[in-house]
Structure formats: C-alpha cells, structure tokens
Amino acid sequence: MNDKSKPASPAPTPGKPSDWAALGADVLRLPDRKLLQIYRLLEQVGDKPEISDAFEAMRPRLTTLRPPRRPALSRLFFLPAEDMLDDALHYTRRLNRICRATLSPCWTAVKEHIPAAVQQEVQREMGLIDYRDGAAIAVICEPLWQAGVDALAKVMAECQNNLKYKLNLFGRDEDVQRQLDTLRQILAVAVRVEKLKAALPPRPIIDLAESHVEIIRNNLIELGKEEAALTQPLLLVLASRMQRPGELLRMLGEVRLGGTAAEKETLTKEMSGYVVGNLLRQTTDFDRENPGITGDLSSLAAAAERLTDGLNSVNDTVQGLRDKEITSKVKNARAEIAHFVLKNICADVDKGLTEALFSHEGLPSDEEVKKAEQFAMALRRSSKLAGPLGIQREVAAKITEARTQVVNNTLATLRNAPRNRDGSMGPEGQRQMFNGLRMVEILAGSDEAERLFREWKSQFR
C-alpha cells in the first residue's frame, strides 16, 4: 500500500473516511475472488490516509485469505540485504551485519537523494507483477538499487562531515558507517543477489545441486573479472543463507577471480572470519533466547546440529589459512556450541524424561510418552555432536544416567503393576514395559532394548 500511479477514477475527498469504511463493509459481502480483485485495485492507489478505513474494514477477510501484499518501496530498497539484518538485541558489531534499527533513519535519508521519477516508476511496475517473482523484482528494482548506491555514498559522506546530521539520524552509534557501507556494497551487486536467490533453494540452503554450484561459480567469475572486491558482498549474502557456508569458502578457493593472489587470500580470510563469527553469533543468540530446557528440545537439538554442521564445513578452509585469529574464533565457536548442548539439552534431560513417564499414578498419557521420546531423542542427537564438539565423556555419562533411571523406574513399576489371574503381566505392566523399552532403544540402541525385553519377560511372566 505504497504511493503509486493515481487510479483511473477520482478518489473521494480525504474528509470523508466514512465513505471508504462503507466501501470496505460492502466489499465484505462479496465472494473471495471479487474481494481480492477490489483489494488489488485499492492497493494500487497506494498508502493514502483516505483509504485506510476501507482496508481496516476488509482486514478480517484479508487475514483469512492472506493475499500477497505489494512490498513497500523501503522494503524493496533493503530487500537484497535482508539476510544480513539482525534485531537490535542480536546485532553484533564489526561483523558486516546490519541492525534493523538502522533501516528507518537510513531510508529517511537516502530517499531524499533518489530521484522521485525512479521511485514512482518502480512503484508503478511493481503493480503489474506477482510480488513473489524474485527475478522480475530484480529487473524492476535495478534503477532503485543503482540510485541507492550513490544515495548511500552521499549520506555516508554527510555523516562523516556533519556530526549533527549523523546524531539526528542515527544517534551515537559509531558502527553505523560500517552498516551503511555493507548495505552500499550489497546494493552494488543487488541484481545478481536477487537473481541468485531466485535460482537457488530457499534458506537455509542445506544441499546444492551441481547446477546450483555452477550458477554460483559463474557469478563469482563474472564479478571477479569486473573487480575481485565485488564478490565479497555477494558471498556475504550467500554465506548467510547456507547451513554449511564452508562449501562456499571451498568454492571460492576453486574459482579464478580477477586481482592478485594476495587479494584473493585476503578475501578468503575476511569471508572465513565472517562465517565463523556469524556462527558464533547464532549460537549466542539461540542460547539467550532458549534458557534451560523448558522449550522445544527438538528445536534446540536441530539448532545445535545446524551450527555444528556449519562449523565443521569451514574446518578445511580455516586449517589451510593458518591464521591464528580465525583459528581462535573457530575454537571459541566450538566451545560455545558445546556449552549450548550441555546446558540446554543435556543438563536435566534425564529428570525431564523420568518425570514425563513416571511422575504420576497409572499409565502416562500419549502426550507424556511423546514428550519423553523428545527428551530421549534430543539426548541421542547430542551424542552424534559430541565428537566434533569434544564433549563425548559428558554426553555419554548423561546417556548412561538417563538409561539407568529409565530401567530402574520401569522395573519398580513392573513389580507393582496388576497381574492377570494366571500371574502373567497385565495390560498396564505390558504398556509400561513397552514405554521403558522404547526409551532404552532410543538411548542405547535396539540390541540393548532386545536384551532387556527378554530379561523382563522372563522375570515378570
């Protein structure tokens, strides 16, 4: 709902918002298809106060239908850098990331330096395409991004030379210039960024097909021929979208870029530092957002796997660089992820598992059994990470402890479970035995579960 070309018919005067509210109420009585047609027509009018009442009246139906919304011009401007954005709470300085709090004052400043004709033409053409078509957006917004590069340079220069100007816009944040420069560099290759995003799998990119690898290589080579430095902003965005960014670093080592060997080595070091620093930032963020083990253990374990996978992917590149600073960052990141696993997954998982299965009278509910399985599976997944993270002893001890508690509690339950008239194990006991064996199978494997099954069947027949 942004400024765009005027509608064909004249709009009612701004002084009669009730007319627009009445229109919105009338539209609600229409079938979905007709309502969406009118929504698109109203949206083309732009973000004008006099039609806000109509949109407000239509909102309940729009919430259900969820039509694609035309992105605001400011959203389109920052679109190529969206993978580099962090909330203020999670923003890390000196990491080539951009704080979301910077965006609004940045747009306020740069739009004054972007020709009005460019802004209006982008808005007009955006009304003619599917807003989800990334390749089409890249073509339409190219003039906006090109003008944005020059506009950002002017804003940065003014911030450098006029302290009052900078303070009024951004406050005293000394990292703003770095953020603006990162944005400027990304906008310089914005069309390539958006076309690549449209051609590659959605984030997080787990696996790249050979065709995807070839597309990335060709873009790096073409940019490198223009200027080797142009590849860095493209690499920054791609690395932020990949689960295993080390694959991108290896690819960088294989392609021939313009410039000297020393320039390529510097680029590889800078990218390695960014990748490792970004993984470390994500670990810290996730740890802060999920204190203890009260949250979804599956999500915690998946996050630990993703971060460890990403860290493992950079090992070869980092070892080849022989850079003490980056090696130290890798070591610190590995220690942070290990701490995250031990604190958030392993700490009290045995108690949570035991409580879910055995802390009540009678059989646990299906929901409680499912919760116990999640505890056990998260602990088992942690064992697969223990080697790379150097926490084999701690995780193995926790698995043994959890298994012991499950076995002891299951035995105690079986001894007290009601028997059939012939003295055999009753349905409740059989169910409890099955639950216990399921946990043992997850924690210690099917062979151990099978051994216990034979032992318990013999003991409680």
Side-chain angles (χ1 to χ4, degrees):
M1 291 179 278
N2 308 300
D3 290 340
K4 202 176 179 183
S5 55
K6 293 184 178 179
S9 57
T13 60
K16 295 184 178 181
S18 58
D19 292 344
W20 290 97
L23 173 63
D26 290 340
V27 167
L28 289 178
R29 292 192 284 269
L30 296 176
D32 291 349
R33 184 174 61 84
K34 289 289 186 182
L35 182 144
L36 291 176
Q37 287 177 348
I38 293 176
Y39 167 76
R40 286 296 297 269
L41 289 172
L42 288 175
E43 194 179 39
Q44 290 181 30
V45 176
D47 189 14
K48 295 183 179 298
E50 58 266 28
I51 64 168
S52 60
D53 288 349
F55 283 115
E56 193 62 35
M58 296 168 63
R59 193 174 304 281
R61 285 280 296 279
L62 295 176
T63 300
T64 302
L65 296 173
R66 299 183 66 84
R69 295 183 61 190
R70 181 168 60 123
L73 194 62
S74 57
R75 169 80 186 280
L76 293 170
F77 182 79
F78 296 113
L79 184 63
E82 66 180 356
D83 296 291
M84 308 298 296
L85 304 180
D86 295 321
D87 294 334
L89 180 63
H90 303 143
Y91 176 68
T92 301
R93 295 169 180 272
R94 296 181 294 279
L95 192 58
N96 293 108
R97 306 284 298 178
I98 301 169
C99 181
R100 289 185 183 275
T102 303
L103 302 188
S104 180
C106 175
W107 175 245
T108 298
V110 298
K111 70 180 180 181
E112 299 301 323
H113 299 284
I114 297 175
V118 171
Q119 299 183 42
Q120 292 166 4
E121 181 63 14
V122 169
Q123 290 179 317
R124 187 190 69 79
E125 293 191 14
M126 282 298 299
L128 305 177
I129 67 165
D130 184 339
Y131 307 148
R132 295 161 293 189
D133 188 342
I137 289 176
V139 173
I140 291 173
C141 292
E142 182 175 8
L144 175 68
W145 295 327
Q146 288 177 342
V149 174
D150 294 334
L152 278 165
K154 293 175 182 177
V155 171
M156 291 173 64
E158 187 66 21
C159 285
Q160 187 70 30
N161 299 322
N162 187 337
L163 180 59
K164 183 178 180 181
Y165 175 84
K166 176 180 176 294
L167 291 176
N168 287 339
L169 279 174
F170 303 106
R172 296 187 177 277
D173 187 356
E174 294 301 324
D175 204 49
V176 162
Q177 287 286 72
R178 188 192 306 271
Q179 296 176 56
L180 296 179
D181 191 48
T182 296
L183 177 60
R184 184 189 61 80
Q185 292 181 50
I186 293 173
L187 290 186
V189 294
V191 174
R192 284 186 184 273
V193 166
E194 288 305 305
K195 287 185 176 180
L196 261 179
K197 284 159 63 174
L200 297 177
R203 64 172 300 178
I205 300 173
I206 299 174
D207 294 306
L208 288 171
E210 186 56 40
S211 59
H212 298 144
V213 173
E214 193 63 24
I215 291 171
I216 295 174
R217 279 186 182 142
N218 289 340
N219 273 273
L220 291 176
I221 291 171
E222 291 170 8
L223 272 178
K225 287 179 180 178
E226 294 180 39
E227 185 180 345
L230 291 175
T231 59
Q232 183 170 12
L234 183 69
L235 289 166
L236 286 172
V237 174
L238 288 178
S240 299
R241 297 178 67 83
M242 294 181 67
Q243 179 165 313
R244 291 190 287 270
E247 294 180 6
L248 197 61
L249 297 180
R250 282 196 293 272
M251 205 182 304
L252 177 60
E254 294 168 359
V255 299
R256 286 180 165 233
L257 302 177
T260 66
E263 288 175 331
K264 184 174 181 180
E265 182 179 356
T266 299
L267 175 61
T268 304
K269 284 184 177 181
E270 290 177 353
M271 282 303 306
S272 299
Y274 169 77
V275 165
V276 175
N278 195 37
L279 288 169
L280 182 58
R281 175 191 65 83
Q282 293 176 60
T283 305
T284 304
D285 288 349
F286 212 95
D287 194 14
R288 179 168 51 227
E289 292 169 2
N290 297 273
I293 60 170
T294 57
D296 180 3
L297 277 186
S298 298
S299 296
L300 298 178
E305 288 174 337
R306 174 174 53 81
L307 294 169
T308 303
D309 194 20
L311 194 60
N312 289 341
S313 74
V314 306
N315 279 342
D316 292 343
T317 301
V318 169
Q319 289 176 6
L321 289 174
R322 297 179 182 177
D323 184 287
K324 290 183 179 180
E325 182 180 354
I326 295 178
T327 300
S328 177
K329 284 184 177 181
V330 170
K331 184 178 179 180
N332 291 338
R334 201 176 300 280
E336 286 285 346
I337 299 172
H339 174 72
F340 170 77
V341 170
L342 293 176
K343 175 185 175 184
N344 292 310
I345 300 175
C346 296
D348 295 317
V349 70
D350 53 324
K351 296 178 182 178
L353 194 162
T354 302
E355 183 178 337
L357 278 186
F358 305 106
S359 65
H360 37 70
E361 295 183 8
L363 291 171
S365 66
D366 291 344
E367 190 63 31
E368 287 165 331
V369 173
K370 182 179 179 181
K371 183 177 179 180
E373 286 183 344
Q374 288 179 343
F375 279 111
M377 292 179 73
L379 188 52
R380 186 65 181 174
R381 290 167 77 174
S382 299
S383 70
K384 298 177 181 179
L385 306 177
L389 298 178
I391 52 175
Q392 300 97 316
R393 181 176 57 82
E394 294 91 335
V395 175
K398 183 58 69 171
I399 288 178
T400 299
E401 186 177 355
R403 176 197 169 280
T404 300
Q405 290 187 26
V406 168
V407 170
N408 290 343
N409 279 281
T410 302
L411 283 172
T413 301
L414 294 179
R415 292 189 187 100
N416 298 319
R419 299 296 187 97
N420 294 325
R421 290 184 177 180
D422 61 2
S424 61
M425 187 184 301
E428 183 176 322
Q430 290 181 13
R431 183 63 182 174
Q432 285 284 27
M433 183 176 69
F434 173 80
N435 290 339
L437 290 172
R438 172 60 179 151
M439 301 308 137
V440 171
E441 181 182 26
I442 295 172
L443 292 169
S446 57
D447 289 345
E448 177 64 5
E450 179 65 27
R451 184 189 70 79
L452 283 174
F453 173 71
R454 292 194 298 269
E455 180 181 312
W456 292 349
K457 286 290 285 185
S458 175
Q459 184 176 351
F460 297 101
R461 47 181 157 168

